[in-house]
Amino acid sequence: MAISFSAGAKAEVCRAPLTKNCCAVAECFGVLLFGNSFTAEGVRIITESRDFAQRLPKLFQKAFSMSFDVRPQEDGSKQVFAITDPEKCRRLMDTYGFDPIGTLSLHINLQILEDDCCKNAFLRGAFLAGGSVTDPEKGYHLELTTSHQSVAREAYALMQDA
């Protein structure tokens, strides 16, 4: 079975090396804001991309020296990663400037994305966790999906600035 253009694009994006710690933190931020769930109670990331599933543990290890509490079973097409440990969740929220008790809505903390390399890493994470792209021969279309309205507006502005 042939892979989709979007899946091929994600596989290619996953080949970007994990070099700088600041970029790993920024990429994780994109993953968390565009993934399935990022709250003070836990993180949940679901993917069908094998390449992204292989990258995720290395990414969180590089950024936070942190492992996932739930890792996927190898036999399913959808792979689920989760962080449920309250201390790990608190650490993630603190890193990105969110108060676990007082945060009503998430937003993009631009202090994390001061360098161009970190902006690119953030957008890479957003695309891997919540993005799709169509084959340019069929018409250009890039889509990033998040459940946070303010994050969507801020990401749009970030892409226009990049």
Side-chain angles (χ1 to χ4, degrees), residues 135-147:
D135 185 340
E137 293 182 15
K138 298 178 182 175
Y140 289 98
H141 183 81
L142 169 69
E143 191 171 304
L144 297 176
T145 305
T146 180
S147 58

Side-chain angles (χ1 to χ4, degrees), residues 6 10 34 126-127 130-134 141-146 159:
S6 191
K10 285 186 179 188
F34 286 83
F127 174 67
S132 65
V133 63
T134 59
H141 183 81
L142 169 69
E143 191 171 304
L144 297 176
T145 305
T146 180
M159 285 188 285

